[in-house]
Amino acid sequence: MKKRGGETDGSRERAAAAANEPPTSKLPLIRGLTLLGTVALVVGNMVGTSIYTLPASLADVAGPFGLVAWLFTAIGYLFVALVYARLGTRYPRTGGPYVFARAAFGDFAGFITVWSYWVSTVVGNAAIVTGAVGYLVGFFPALEQSAAGRFALAQALIWGLCILNIRGIRQSARVQTTVMFLNLVPLGLLAIFTLRRFDLANLHPFAPHGYGSLAAAAALVVWAYSGIESATVPAEEVQAPERTIRLGTMLGYAVGTTIFLLTALAVAGSLPNATIAGSARPIALAAEHAVGPWAGAVIGVAAIAAALGTLNGWILMAGRIPLSAAADGVFFRPLAAVHPRYGTPATALVVGTAVSSAMLLLYFTHSLLGVFNWVVLLAVLLTLLPHLFATAAEIKLGGQAVGGRRWAVANGDAEDAAPAHETTVTRSRSRVAPRAVAVIAFVFVLYTIYGVGLSVILWGLVLVLAGIPLYFVLRLEKTDGSR
């Protein structure tokens, strides 16, 4: 043990370590996620199947004014991305939004965050695999008449990717990187070619439903940005987390936003709004119109790649979201198990996939299809709650020193948790910028929640409240286990 000023002080050494080393839960995970893999995870979780149908929904709700909604949401999510890049660097522990909420507001806020986030993910994965199968049916017409065949294909996809994720973070990252290029390269190139047919006449009338349609249109675009937080969730499997989480988040945001704005502008400018609003495949239609019939097939392949990448990415997320919470006793403890050979959260991956797999049984009950779509809508709303907690956490924690003073306080090493050279003046200055960014992000997330609509918000509140009894059950188990 080293001496400082002639004294041996274990407390000071632990505090110094807490101030300079990223805190972890010491789970036996493998750091196999590189910067490229992290960017691919963020981009893959953002640029999914929704981008291929979203232009039609926006055309119906807002007309060409939907382009403003894209730009407005992109600017808003820049602030959200900055919040996650900063928090993920300062608190690089698996779980992302849960970790930030618990650090700022305690166990209950952590539970609400992990409960809503985990439920939204495992239910949403059933919708993602449904979209993937829908695109594959276009290439295999025999599946169109066979509900059992589509169900079997969906199960094969979801469980196959679950097994891939169990076998290692590196294997999952390789798939994610491959499908990112298969998705983005043709989508970006065809969008550029489509811009050659841009006609300002297609943008008139620009706001047929009035400028008040911005809230509803922005709420639709928010779905495309689900996943901006992805780099923070598997933090303990990221190589050089203090650098990679920050860069992965911001590069992923930049790549995803570029593709979003490019394709939105290409579609809106190349086709009349009524044509876009009436199409189930607006990007493919615009590409065929501008380039030729073959372009639609290329977009179909890119859409399948997007669906598989999104499904793979969110299965990965479903396994990591509850991991630290379970280890802390805030969520179901069995979900904290890590595979002894592969170093992956195998139990959480299997349980999350099982829930998604069960949701697919709704395929066989046509009367429940509307219920299924409604549940998915609620699940997407619940992804906004972690953003709300994360931005609120940054407002509260934004002035704390990088390196984890709060983590040192939590471990009883508060005395010298902040770097010795940090002064009151530098602390006060460091609080202004991150808190200003966090306040803007917080207001933006509130606005997008408002745009979802009161009915969906109320049902989302009911789903969150339904999980609260579980918190008290888990709290009792945690108390009993510590005796």
Side-chain angles (χ1 to χ4, degrees):
M1 184 176 295
K2 295 181 180 180
K3 295 183 178 181
R4 181 183 299 173
E7 293 182 340
T8 300
D9 193 336
S11 174
R12 289 177 179 270
E13 289 191 2
R14 290 193 301 272
N20 293 289
E21 295 180 3
T24 70
S25 59
K26 294 182 171 56
L27 290 167
L29 300 167
I30 296 173
R31 292 197 180 275
L33 202 55
T34 64
L35 176 59
L36 179 59
T38 304
V39 172
L41 180 63
V42 176
V43 172
N45 285 352
M46 287 174 55
V47 189
T49 55
S50 61
I51 183 61
Y52 291 90
T53 56
L54 194 53
S57 301
L58 282 172
D60 183 53
V61 169
F65 186 60
L67 291 173
V68 176
W70 273 111
L71 184 60
F72 170 77
T73 308
I75 294 171
Y77 262 95
L78 172 61
F79 292 94
V80 176
L82 287 169
V83 167
Y84 277 113
R86 180 174 168 83
L87 284 172
T89 299
R90 294 166 65 226
Y91 303 96
R93 187 184 177 198
T94 296
Y98 155 77
V99 177
F100 314 144
R102 184 171 181 252
F105 306 112
D107 282 359
F108 183 70
F111 172 81
I112 293 297
T113 302
V114 71
W115 167 253
S116 60
Y117 196 20
W118 185 74
V119 169
S120 71
T121 301
V122 296
V123 173
N125 281 348
I128 294 171
V129 73
T130 301
V133 170
Y135 282 108
L136 285 166
V137 166
F139 289 87
F140 302 98
L143 291 172
E144 183 70 36
Q145 305 302 320
S146 174
R150 296 195 301 274
F151 178 77
L153 178 59
Q155 294 288 357
L157 287 175
I158 199 167
W159 283 107
L161 289 174
C162 175
I163 293 170
L164 174 73
N165 275 274
I166 289 173
R167 290 185 62 84
I169 187 74
R170 292 188 180 93
Q171 287 82 345
S172 180
R174 291 189 190 105
V175 170
Q176 199 70 4
T177 302
T178 301
V179 298
M180 178 181 70
F181 287 109
L182 289 175
N183 177 21
L184 297 189
V185 171
L187 184 60
L189 288 176
L190 287 176
I192 292 171
F193 290 139
T194 302
L195 282 171
R196 296 182 306 172
R197 302 294 295 271
F198 191 92
D199 186 352
L200 284 175
N202 290 324
L203 303 184
H204 297 285
F206 187 64
H209 303 293
Y211 297 111
S213 61
L214 177 63
L220 287 173
V221 178
V222 163
W223 309 155
Y225 275 93
S226 295
I228 193 68
E229 72 286 355
S230 297
T232 69
V233 174
E236 292 173 68
E237 294 166 280
V238 172
Q239 297 177 4
E242 292 188 354
R243 172 180 178 271
T244 303
I245 292 174
R246 182 183 70 255
L247 284 177
T249 299
M250 299 314 300
L251 288 174
Y253 164 83
V255 172
T257 297
T258 300
I259 290 294
F260 287 155
L261 296 181
L262 187 63
T263 54
L265 190 63
V267 173
S270 63
L271 294 172
N273 187 72
T275 303
I276 300 170
S279 175
R281 44 195 292 273
I283 293 181
L285 188 65
E288 290 171 353
H289 175 70
V291 182
W294 62 269
V298 173
I299 290 295
V301 173
I304 292 172
L308 294 177
T310 303
L311 182 59
N312 178 65
W314 282 105
I315 287 175
L316 183 152
M317 297 278 282
R320 275 74 181 177
I321 287 167
L323 195 58
S324 289
D328 295 336
V330 178
F331 211 56
F332 305 105
R333 284 190 182 276
L335 299 185
V338 175
H339 197 284
R341 178 180 176 185
Y342 301 122
T344 55
T347 302
L349 285 165
V350 170
V351 171
T353 302
V355 174
S356 303
S357 177
M359 292 293 298
L360 293 174
L361 291 171
L362 294 178
Y363 267 139
F364 291 106
T365 310
H366 294 289
S367 62
L368 289 182
L369 186 58
V371 177
F372 178 80
N373 292 334
W374 180 249
V375 170
V376 170
L377 185 59
L378 289 176
V380 178
L381 167 67
L382 293 178
T383 63
L384 293 172
L385 293 181
H387 295 340
L388 204 62
F389 275 106
T391 53
E394 177 67 344
I395 293 171
K396 182 174 182 180
L397 304 174
Q400 294 183 7
V402 174
R405 174 173 171 78
R406 186 171 183 92
W407 293 85
V409 171
N411 288 313
D413 293 325
E415 183 180 355
D416 287 318
H421 62 274
E422 187 182 39
T423 66
T424 302
V425 174
T426 58
R427 286 180 189 173
S428 62
R429 288 177 179 173
S430 69
R431 289 174 180 154
V432 176
R435 282 183 171 166
V437 168
V439 168
I440 295 172
F442 183 83
V443 172
F444 168 75
V445 173
L446 277 180
Y447 181 77
T448 56
I449 290 175
Y450 157 76
V452 169
L454 180 61
S455 176
V456 176
I457 291 172
L458 290 176
W459 279 104
L461 179 62
V462 168
L463 189 56
V464 170
L465 292 175
I468 291 179
L470 290 174
Y471 169 75
F472 292 103
V473 172
L474 292 167
R475 187 180 179 88
L476 287 173
E477 291 180 354
K478 182 179 179 181
T479 302
D480 292 340
S482 63
R483 289 176 181 174

